[in-house]
Amino acid sequence: MSKAVVSSLYDSDTFKMACRQFDQAADAINLPEEIRDRTKYPRRCVAVALPIKRDNGSVTVFEGYRVQHNLSTGPAKGGIRFHQDVTIGEVAALAMWMSWKCSLVGLPYGGAKGGVIVNPGLLSEGELERLSRRYMQELIPFIGPHVDVPAPDVGTNEKVMGWMMDTYSNHIGYNSPAIVTGKPLSLGGSQGRREATGAGVAYLVQRYLEDMKIPVTQATVAIQGFGNVGGETALALAAAGAKIIALSDYTGGVFNAGGIDVKKALEYVKYQRTLKDFHGGDPITNEQLLTLPCTVLIPAALERVITPENAPRLQCRLLAEAANGPTTNAADKIIEERGDIEVIPDVLCNAGGVIVSYFEWLQNLQNFYWDREDVMQKLFALLDKARDSVEYQKRKFKFGRRLAALTLGIQRVTDAKQSRGLFP
Ligand code: NAD
């Protein structure tokens, strides 16, 4: 039979990259041909036009998307990105990775992602609120606490989630905290959610350093991206005794061989918004940061920054993918052939975020709230379990770690789809 799915809608480098990863994993576990396209391609997508009244009285129409990749294993789950370079193909790839990630760590969710083409840094607070509310308003027919549960991603935060939760709750007429996760604590957010992704990255980095017999106190760390994930990762690793030698954001980076004072950098960014002109070290570019000699390299910004051009020049021992999709397929191959860098693949490395989002959703549905210690203990237990399963799969089939993680995630989604059967 010829293939029916032609996914020109999502055509983009990032979507192709996610598809290639899927194809490799599907081949590695001999996934039956008839289930492949059904598992690979997104189930639904919505594109919305978002007219916003600007502060000067004019109206701008922004474009936004929500892609629900998989709904077979529970409500869809995934963040909302506000960024000027968002495309529907990128959102679809991110939704696909959410499916494998939720499945890998054993959460009862499918995968989704949302995005709006906007530079939120150019909006006033009022404009950002109107855009956030409008986006949620347009999504209401397609989402719900048991259908699709958004969360923060690049360019969105607790405040945005609070506005979205309020918009949804006003629409349905009662308080519905479980519609989004990553909310402020005062609206039913979870203890530990803000730091969850970074804390999870830092925890896994320490577990892999132990395996590599490198004391964390002797580790040097370079982090690209100093937002929610990069900032919290830096803080947690510095607290564990690692030396953070480089940090960056979209304006460029800073390098200090003696170690950067992370708390000072965070304080600086709180008021200045970016690391530009931060005096904690010497200026470097984002590209220079990626190839610095260091123990741990942590991309924590956007996709496709580790490329065939810089992969041969990486000088780290451990590559911890806090961002989604930071390594292109070709770069991945180069790193695997080099054989001198351990990789913690994104679907495992940054899973702490969705794990604590799951805890937040559970607390909202039960109206029963946990303390921080409880949240963190449960987070690390789930990460350990996922890590153990990845290491077992890696050893058993002699896979690279990314392939091990992806095959586990994909197999579980496929099993669910096969058990449910095909609705006539
Ligand atoms: P954020 O908006 O809080 O921070 C993004 C950071 O990246 C900022 O410091 C920004 O300046 C920087 N950045 C943007 N473009 C850059 C560029 N071209 N070069 C260098 N730096 C650049 O976003 P976040 O929530 O920290 O997300 C970062 C990554 O982690 C994304 O890949 C996201 O999908 C992933 N992630 C986030 C979560 C979460 O809970 N927020 C969970 C899992 C994965």
Side-chain angles (χ1 to χ4, degrees):
M1 288 287 283
S2 64
K3 288 191 175 183
V5 176
V6 181
S7 194
S8 58
L9 178 63
Y10 303 115
D11 193 31
S12 74
D13 287 341
T14 309
F15 187 68
K16 280 187 196 130
M17 171 181 155
C19 287
R20 258 182 242 123
Q21 288 179 350
F22 175 89
D23 294 341
Q24 275 171 4
D27 287 344
I29 51 175
N30 293 319
L31 217 56
E33 202 58 51
E34 67 272 12
I35 193 85
R36 289 194 186 198
D37 285 351
R38 219 176 121 199
T39 311
K40 176 166 144 184
Y41 291 108
R43 172 87 172 261
R44 293 178 191 154
C45 75
V46 186
V48 288
L50 307 165
I52 303 303
K53 179 81 71 74
R54 307 303 294 260
D55 291 348
N56 66 8
S58 67
V59 173
T60 306
V61 182
F62 294 95
E63 185 163 305
Y65 312 108
R66 184 76 182 168
V67 176
Q68 294 166 351
H69 176 262
N70 161 34
L71 293 160
S72 299
T73 45
K77 187 89 191 79
I80 295 169
R81 179 171 292 194
F82 282 4
H83 193 275
Q84 60 276 17
D85 297 333
V86 159
T87 66
I88 195 166
E90 178 192 48
V91 175
L94 291 162
M96 200 192 286
W97 288 322
M98 280 305 294
S99 291
W100 317 145
K101 188 184 307 176
C102 292
S103 164
L104 169 67
V105 295
L107 305 182
Y109 286 139
K113 208 80 180 189
V116 177
I117 308 169
V118 60
N119 180 346
L122 300 182
L123 299 183
S124 70
E125 170 116 344
E127 290 169 338
L128 181 65
E129 176 173 355
R130 293 194 284 283
L131 181 62
S132 305
R133 289 184 179 281
R134 189 65 189 226
Y135 178 74
M136 171 51 84
Q137 180 70 45
E138 292 302 325
L139 284 191
I140 285 174
F142 307 99
I143 66 171
H146 297 284
V147 182
D148 180 2
V149 184
D153 190 76
V154 174
T156 56
N157 55 23
E158 282 181 8
K159 203 182 252 183
V160 170
M161 293 305 116
W163 291 325
M164 290 188 174
M165 175 270 193
D166 180 65
T167 305
Y168 184 83
S169 297
N170 275 318
H171 177 86
I172 58 169
Y174 55 89
N175 193 38
S176 178
I179 183 61
V180 291
T181 57
K183 299 176 294 291
L185 283 177
S186 59
L187 295 180
S190 176
Q191 295 288 345
R193 174 59 186 93
R194 186 185 305 166
E195 59 268 42
T197 313
V201 173
Y203 180 77
L204 288 170
V205 163
Q206 289 176 79
R207 298 304 311 271
Y208 279 101
L209 286 176
E210 276 163 31
D211 290 355
M212 296 160 75
K213 312 254 179 301
I214 301 173
V216 65
T217 49
Q218 285 175 23
T220 54
V221 182
I223 305 178
Q224 182 192 56
F226 197 53
N228 171 275
V229 178
E232 293 294 344
T233 303
L235 211 50
L237 282 173
K243 197 191 282 182
I244 312 301
I245 58 164
L247 295 172
S248 74
D249 62 19
Y250 77 92
T251 63
V254 57
F255 168 74
N256 185 339
I260 295 169
D261 185 330
V262 175
K263 283 190 181 150
K264 264 197 189 147
L266 283 169
E267 199 59 21
Y268 183 87
V269 169
K270 195 166 151 194
Y271 295 104
Q272 302 296 328
R273 297 180 80 165
T274 70
L275 281 168
K276 193 168 169 9
D277 298 329
F278 171 63
H279 291 304
D282 301 321
I284 50 165
T285 65
N286 267 291
E287 194 52 36
Q288 284 169 329
L289 180 144
L290 294 174
T291 53
L292 281 176
C294 60
T295 320
V296 192
L297 175 64
I298 308 183
L302 299 176
E303 303 87 55
R304 303 174 60 77
V305 293
I306 315 270
T307 62
E309 284 71 47
N310 59 25
R313 292 184 285 116
L314 297 187
Q315 298 192 67
C316 58
R317 300 280 310 279
L318 179 62
L319 173 62
E321 295 185 336
N324 286 304
T327 310
T328 68
N329 307 110
D332 210 20
K333 192 157 175 269
I334 293 170
I335 292 169
E336 193 150 349
E337 280 164 11
R338 279 180 55 159
D340 58 346
I341 298 176
E342 296 292 331
V343 178
I344 315 179
D346 51 4
V347 287
L348 173 64
C349 192
N350 65 35
V354 71
I355 290 174
V356 178
S357 272
Y358 167 59
F359 296 161
E360 181 175 328
W361 180 75
L362 282 183
Q363 293 169 74
N364 295 153
L365 292 177
Q366 296 173 350
N367 260 314
F368 178 74
Y369 288 83
W370 315 348
D371 61 29
R372 190 177 182 283
E373 211 171 291
D374 212 8
V375 169
M376 296 321 257
Q377 198 185 354
K378 287 186 166 73
L379 163 65
F380 298 144
L382 277 192
L383 285 176
D384 273 333
K385 199 169 155 203
R387 184 179 104 100
D388 289 347
S389 65
V390 168
E391 294 309 306
Y392 180 74
Q393 180 90 339
K394 179 175 175 287
R395 275 195 308 276
K396 186 172 171 194
F397 295 104
K398 298 194 170 36
F399 287 164
R401 194 170 287 112
R402 186 186 314 284
L403 191 60
L406 287 174
T407 49
L408 282 171
I410 289 168
Q411 184 72 63
R412 289 177 192 160
V413 174
T414 310
D415 289 348
K417 282 186 182 288
Q418 273 175 324
S419 301
R420 287 181 66 146
L422 196 54
F423 190 72

